[in-house]
C-alpha cells in the first residue's frame, strides 16, 4: 500500500462516518499531516480520477477510488488482526499504521491465510473505534 492508498482509505472512512464529503481538515487530522499536504494529495488523486474535490465542500471518492480504498482498508484490517490476534502486539494500531505503507499485496495475502479473514472484510472495520470488529481484543475509541 502506498501513500495515495492511505489517503484513499482515510477519505473513505471519513465519508462513511460523516455520510458525505471528507473535509480537508478532517483528512489532515486523521492522517496527522498539514492541510496543505492533504490538499496536494487530493489534487493528485483528482488527477488520477480517484476523487472529486469541490472547494469548501470536501472530497468524494470516485467508484475506482472507493474500490482502491476498500482494498487498502482490507489490507489494513489483515495487518491489524495479524498483529493483535496472532502476535499479541500491544500497540497493534500504531504498528499497523507503520506497516501498511510497506506491506504489499503478496504479503497481505499470506498474512490473510494465517488470520482466517472474515468474508465481510473490509466492512468489518469500525471507523469510530479505528479497529476491525474481528479483533480478539477489546477496542475503545482512540483519544483525539
Amino acid at each position: 500500500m502506498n501513500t495515495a492508498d492511505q489517503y484513499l482509505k482515510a477519505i473513505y472512512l471519513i465519508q462513511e462516518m460523516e455520510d458525505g464529503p471528507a473535509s480537508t481538515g478532517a483528512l489532515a487530522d486523521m492522517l496527522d499531516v498539514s492541510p496543505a499536504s492533504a490538499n496536494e494529495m487530493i489534487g493528485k488523486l483528482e488527477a488520477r480520477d480517484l476523487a472529486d474535490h469541490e472547494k469548501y465542500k470536501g472530497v468524494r471518492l470516485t467508484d475506482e477510488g472507493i474500490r482502491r480504498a476498500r482494498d487498502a482498508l482490507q489490507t489494513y484490517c489483515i495487518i491489524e488482526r495479524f498483529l493483535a490476534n496472532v502476535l499479541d502486539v500491544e500497540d497493534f494500531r500504531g504498528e499497523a499504521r507503520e506497516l501498511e505503507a510497506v506491506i504489499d499485496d503478496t504479503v497481505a495475502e499470506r498474512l490473510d491465510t494465517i488470520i482466517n479473514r472474515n468474508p465481510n472484510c473490509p466492512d468489518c472495520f469500525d471507523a469510530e473505534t479505528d479497529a476491525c470488529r474481528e479483533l480478539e481484543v477489546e477496542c475503545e475509541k482512540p483519544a483525539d
Side-chain angles (χ1 to χ4, degrees), residues 42-91:
I42 288 168
K44 290 177 182 179
L45 296 174
E46 198 169 25
R48 296 179 198 163
D49 293 325
L50 297 171
D52 292 317
H53 183 241
E54 195 172 338
K55 203 169 188 172
Y56 305 114
K57 294 203 177 190
V59 61
R60 287 185 181 272
L61 297 178
T62 62
D63 289 343
E64 179 62 15
I66 290 169
R67 187 196 63 74
R68 292 232 347 232
R70 289 179 58 81
D71 286 348
L73 186 55
Q74 182 172 317
T75 297
Y76 181 80
C77 280
I78 290 168
I79 297 166
E80 191 176 66
R81 287 188 58 209
F82 179 76
L83 292 170
N85 296 356
V86 177
L87 298 182
D88 198 27
V89 172
E90 189 172 325
D91 183 21

Side-chain angles (χ1 to χ4, degrees), residues 10 19 28 30 33 38 57 72 92 96 98 109 133 142:
D19 195 28
M30 181 176 270
V33 298
K57 294 203 177 190
F92 62 89
E98 292 291 322
E109 287 172 17
R133 289 184 188 97

Side-chain angles (χ1 to χ4, degrees), residues 7-130:
Y7 272 84
L8 291 170
K9 182 185 83 165
I11 294 166
Y12 177 80
L13 292 172
I14 294 168
Q15 280 184 190
E16 291 291 305
M17 286 188 297
E18 302 295 325
D19 195 28
S23 72
T24 304
L27 182 60
D29 288 345
M30 181 176 270
L31 293 172
D32 198 25
V33 298
S34 71
S37 293
N39 255 334
E40 182 179 346
M41 181 57 81
I42 288 168
K44 290 177 182 179
L45 296 174
E46 198 169 25
R48 296 179 198 163
D49 293 325
L50 297 171
D52 292 317
H53 183 241
E54 195 172 338
K55 203 169 188 172
Y56 305 114
K57 294 203 177 190
V59 61
R60 287 185 181 272
L61 297 178
T62 62
D63 289 343
E64 179 62 15
I66 290 169
R67 187 196 63 74
R68 292 232 347 232
R70 289 179 58 81
D71 286 348
L73 186 55
Q74 182 172 317
T75 297
Y76 181 80
C77 280
I78 290 168
I79 297 166
E80 191 176 66
R81 287 188 58 209
F82 179 76
L83 292 170
N85 296 356
V86 177
L87 298 182
D88 198 27
V89 172
E90 189 172 325
D91 183 21
F92 62 89
R93 281 187 185 121
E95 293 293 333
R97 283 189 201 106
E98 292 291 322
L99 289 172
E100 73 178 322
V102 296
I103 297 287
D104 67 15
D105 292 339
T106 303
V107 173
E109 287 172 17
R110 290 181 181 164
L111 292 176
D112 188 19
T113 63
I114 296 169
I115 65 164
N116 203 14
R117 178 175 39 95
N118 182 320
N120 292 332
C121 190
D123 295 324
C124 58
F125 193 83
D126 181 4
E128 292 294 320
T129 61
D130 190 32

